[in-house]
Amino acid sequence: MAAKRPKIIKKDLKRVSVKPNLLNYEKTYRSFSYKKVEKELAWLGKGKLNAAHDAVDKHLNTWRKNKVALYWIGDECDKKYTFLELAQLSNQFANALVEQKIKKEDRVFLFLPRIPELYFSFLGILKTGAIAGTMFAAFGPDAIYDRLHDSGASVVITSPELKPRIDKIRKKLPDLKTVIVTGSVKVNSRKGEVLFNDMMKGQSRNFKTKEMKPKDKAYMLYTSGTTGKPKGVVHTHYDIIHQYMTSKWVLDLQEEDVYWCTADPGWVTGIAYGILGPWANGTSSVVDARRFSAEKWYDTLEKYRVTVWYTAPTAIRMMMKEGSKLAKKFDLSSLRHMCSVGEPLNPEAVYWGLNTMGLVFHDNWWQTETGGILIANYPGMAVKPGSMGKPFPGIKAAIVDEHGKIKKTGKEGNLAIKPGWPSMMIEVWKNPVKYKEYFKNGWYITGDKAKVDKDGYFWFIGRADDVINTAGHRVGPFEVESALVAHPAIAEAGVIGKPDEMFGEIIKAFVSLNKGYKPNDGLKKDIQHFMKRYHAGHAYPKEIEFRDNLPKTRSGKIMRRVLKCQELGLPVGDISTLEDD
Ligand code: PRX
């Protein structure tokens, strides 16, 4: 599908992106120290803090107590919650969890659509000292099982629509004691099922938030690498200092802003910049829980007079596809700052923003593991379309070779960060070996290839490994392959990311079949349906190719590199001496 190319207007990008009231980036950079900024955290006594307190309750001592924290948009109605209401609802939920004997470091997982309960239960979990885990609502039973099983979660909160997927795997999860269900449906108390509303009834609106040490664990989410099942990336309460600062300086959140982060808290952006960072700044946030449509999104921007918008390239491209005519039907004059993350932002998208909204998208870069934005185009900087920007103050980023040696300006290499920034993941759940693998020769190795130009701007080249980025979602080929071979027709599977103009990449699967199965379109559809149902709605192979054999190493590992080269029509190189693992 070819996206319509917008007319490119060569304007002075620097002029439109500079706002007079913004902090001076270069000056700030020279005087920056996280130690100094620590004073801005809401400490709960000596060396103790809690990210939920910093995000919400600290505002209750200020005029923001009755300020709207959350504008929620649903299919049937809109709702709003003040900071006071969020504090009270999360306190009630924290009390309910304590009644369920939840204690520090227990894992409480959320498997919910973007309903208000998701937001105040996330905060409530943090207040008890337990670890909040999030899961995207498109996950199927297998993906949910991997996460709940590995984390040993004792509680999961879900909705009536999503609960059947948990029911399917419940028997295999002995650690899972309680399933909390929102709405009003029949639940089976003998199986530890309980209604959210019943739990909340009669709970006090006060709760003594647990005082945590900065490096105590707060939340976790699973993310994909090239090999193995998804890893549980664990973050601490101290993350909030970085999320607070980057929300202020990169997203430029100010008191009077209405801010909209379009990400789902099943992914890290929806936590760091959909919950913790903006609320720590006392910002009013919009959550639109409806299915994407360009028209609905423009309507949200107009209706809520959104001033700062944080979204993703695929969504921008989908809006571009609808054309500027649709955009012109709406009053988007409230917008003053736009940011993007998660996948490469093509220059056309930056120019489209300029043509349509009179503003450029400010691209920034980070990862689940980094817990916050590390490289960004700042509001006060000249935007170079296609570049991710410069490192955030206090962050040292570089392009290094295999031995950790910094490469010359303009040379491609591994994007690496000096470890130790406040929101760095603290562990990979139950997997110290995997955690250690990230750190080499004194650098945190991101897994991305990039280059840096003479002005210090970073340019994304691609992944250094086989990880697929489809519509901004990080997908591990191994997980998709394992799910594919569970289909009765499939003997072997190899999965790659195939470049796509709209989604960045789509998932393409090469499969060989078991005896008795014939390759045909009906089987393709059946496999896709199977993948959506059991694995994940967003991570199914859009393309499937049947092969008699798949290229393999001597030890039998499928060579995705060869499949990718063949797909792209690139020379495969010498495979006469088959690679070893
Ligand atoms: O490959 C990079 C890509 O997304 C990966 C991180 O994915 P995830 O952990 O799911 O976090 C996404 C949201 C923070 C990175 O390793 N990525 C992220 N931002 C950009 C990007 N690729 C290009 N440009 C970006 N701005």
Side-chain angles (χ1 to χ4, degrees):
M1 180 185 6
K4 271 187 205 148
R5 296 268 160 175
K7 204 173 111 216
I8 293 174
I9 297 179
K10 296 264 183 241
K11 266 197 182 176
D12 176 4
L13 291 171
K14 182 170 179 180
R15 190 174 53 79
V16 294
S17 67
V18 170
K19 296 260 174 243
N21 57 348
L22 295 170
L23 291 162
N24 179 321
Y25 165 70
E26 297 296 344
K27 202 168 115 211
T28 310
Y29 190 89
R30 283 196 298 274
S31 62
F32 189 87
S33 144
Y34 279 112
K35 280 278 160 242
K36 273 193 235 161
V37 181
E38 266 191 1
K39 281 199 221 112
E40 295 176 40
L41 284 187
W43 292 98
L44 289 166
K46 254 200 168 163
K48 300 284 173 68
L49 84 161
N50 188 303
H53 176 82
D54 239 298
V56 175
D57 294 55
K58 75 172 181 207
H59 300 301
L60 305 194
N61 301 325
T62 74
W63 70 270
R64 293 193 201 97
K65 180 175 172 181
N66 294 314
K67 180 179 177 177
V68 175
L70 171 62
Y71 290 105
W72 183 82
I73 306 166
D75 284 316
E76 263 123 53
C77 65
D78 294 6
K79 291 182 184 169
K80 50 185 171 189
Y81 297 84
T82 62
F83 280 102
L84 175 64
E85 286 166 330
L86 274 190
Q88 290 178 336
L89 286 161
S90 55
N91 283 346
Q92 283 183 290
F93 190 67
N95 279 314
L97 284 179
V98 169
E99 215 171 78
Q100 298 279 332
K101 309 254 177 318
I102 285 300
K103 50 184 194 322
K104 191 175 167 189
E105 295 212 351
D106 282 349
R107 277 78 61 212
V108 178
F109 268 64
L110 295 146
F111 183 47
L112 285 172
R114 285 188 299 277
I115 55 177
E117 286 89 338
L118 169 57
Y119 295 84
F120 52 78
S121 41
F122 179 88
L123 296 164
I125 298 166
L126 263 55
K127 284 182 174 184
T128 65
I131 303 171
T134 63
M135 295 188 293
F136 189 40
F139 287 151
D142 293 348
I144 303 162
Y145 171 78
D146 286 344
R147 287 153 176 85
L148 295 179
H149 174 73
D150 184 72
S151 64
S154 52
V155 177
V156 66
I157 306 146
T158 192
S159 68
E161 308 78 52
L162 300 179
K163 180 174 173 282
R165 298 188 216 164
I166 293 179
D167 293 342
K168 280 206 177 87
I169 49 168
R170 182 77 200 274
K171 277 207 187 98
K172 296 192 287 173
L173 295 166
D175 293 330
L176 186 60
K177 301 282 179 308
T178 311
V179 178
I180 302 171
V181 194
T182 60
S184 49
V185 282
K186 232 176 134 205
V187 287
N188 186 340
S189 58
R190 273 180 298 142
K191 286 190 186 161
E193 295 174 2
V194 42
L195 284 181
F196 190 94
N197 291 336
D198 288 351
M199 276 182 77
M200 294 285 275
K201 243 179 242 155
Q203 296 295 354
S204 164
R205 289 180 183 167
N206 298 313
F207 180 78
K208 184 156 180 355
T209 296
K210 186 123 185 131
E211 296 175 2
M212 307 296 282
K213 289 196 214 102
K215 291 291 173 182
D216 278 341
K217 294 161 198 165
Y219 65 98
M220 67 190 288
L221 62 186
Y222 279 76
T223 194
S224 304
T226 305
T227 54
K229 294 277 186 187
K231 308 171 286 250
V233 171
V234 185
H235 282 283
T236 69
H237 284 264
Y238 192 62
D239 271 28
I240 198 144
I241 191 173
H242 186 79
Q243 294 159 347
Y244 164 75
M245 294 313 296
T246 43
S247 295
K248 211 193 223 351
W249 291 3
V250 179
L251 306 177
D252 188 34
L253 295 183
Q254 296 176 27
E255 197 64 78
E256 62 281 9
D257 278 319
V258 177
Y259 161 72
W260 182 21
C261 168
T262 61
D264 187 290
W267 307 107
V268 73
T269 311
I271 295 177
Y273 299 103
I275 301 179
L276 297 173
W279 282 340
N281 280 278
T283 307
S284 300
S285 280
V286 172
V287 168
D288 190 339
R290 298 170 303 172
R291 256 186 109 84
F292 172 85
S293 98
E295 191 153 1
K296 280 187 199 147
W297 276 33
Y298 285 126
D299 184 57
T300 295
L301 289 168
E302 178 185 276
K303 187 167 163 197
Y304 283 88
R305 306 297 296 152
V306 172
T307 55
V308 179
W309 191 31
Y310 194 20
T311 190
T314 293
I316 299 168
R317 288 190 291 265
M318 285 166 90
M319 294 182 92
M320 284 165 72
K321 198 177 130 218
E322 300 292 325
S324 294
K325 245 198 196 146
L326 178 64
K328 294 276 184 287
K329 282 195 199 158
F330 295 85
D331 175 5
L332 306 176
S333 60
S334 58
L335 274 172
R336 66 166 189 84
H337 188 45
M338 309 197 299
C339 297
S340 163
V341 74
E343 30 166 346
L345 182 69
N346 41 323
E348 290 91 337
V350 178
Y351 292 124
W352 176 79
L354 191 55
N355 286 345
T356 314
M357 282 111 170
L359 298 167
V360 288
F361 281 101
H362 291 66
D363 188 20
N364 49 72
W365 175 96
W366 58 293
Q367 304 177 301
T368 306
E369 294 88 336
T370 72
I373 298 168
L374 295 192
I375 297 175
N377 287 284
Y378 298 85
M381 259 164 72
V383 169
K384 290 195 187 188
S387 159
M388 314 189 285
K390 292 185 183 189
F392 186 74
I395 302 299
K396 184 167 167 50
I399 304 300
V400 303
D401 67 14
E402 301 313 312
H403 310 287
K405 210 171 144 247
I406 295 181
K407 287 197 154 190
K408 284 207 180 102
T409 303
K411 293 271 181 253
E412 286 180 19
N414 301 304
L415 176 59
I417 315 284
K418 272 280 161 210
W421 66 95
S423 60
M424 189 172 98
M425 62 169 169
I426 190 133
E427 70 176 42
V428 172
W429 189 255
K430 287 202 302 208
N431 202 337
V433 176
K434 266 269 177 266
Y435 185 76
K436 267 203 191 127
E437 279 171 18
Y438 280 96
F439 303 93
K440 281 187 196 121
N441 304 306
W443 292 100
Y444 163 80
I445 307 295
T446 65
D448 284 348
K449 294 262 178 207
K451 61 183 181 183
V452 59
D453 69 18
K454 61 178 181 11
D455 301 321
Y457 283 70
F458 282 73
W459 299 76
F460 182 81
I461 308 281
R463 284 291 300 188
D465 54 23
D466 294 338
V467 169
I468 301 164
N469 190 335
T470 178
H473 299 131
R474 184 164 152 186
V475 176
F478 176 80
E479 295 157 53
V480 183
E481 288 161 0
S482 320
L484 278 165
V485 293
H487 187 282
I490 298 177
E492 286 179 324
V495 163
I496 61 159
K498 176 178 171 179
D500 182 85
E501 228 179 311
M502 181 61 75
F503 301 106
E505 285 182 320
I506 55 160
I507 299 171
K508 171 147 190 179
F510 298 83
V511 299
S512 66
L513 298 179
N514 283 318
K515 272 212 177 86
Y517 288 92
K518 292 247 164 349
N520 58 47
D521 283 350
L523 181 57
K524 264 187 205 173
K525 288 224 168 70
D526 186 66
I527 294 170
Q528 284 169 331
H529 178 70
F530 171 85
M531 291 297 287
K532 278 190 214 169
R533 185 136 183 240
Y534 292 101
H535 181 55
H538 69 287
Y540 75 97
K542 278 210 170 67
E543 279 187 26
I544 296 176
E545 187 175 316
F546 296 111
R547 290 270 180 102
D548 291 338
N549 292 302
L550 297 176
K552 285 193 224 90
T553 60
R554 231 188 287 276
S555 60
K557 208 171 112 187
I558 289 162
M559 292 161 80
R560 299 186 193 113
R561 183 183 66 79
V562 174
L563 290 170
K564 187 139 184 172
C565 288
Q566 288 169 345
E567 180 65 32
L568 301 181
L570 299 171
V572 172
D574 181 15
I575 50 166
S576 56
T577 54
L578 287 178
E579 286 174 12
D580 257 323
D581 298 23

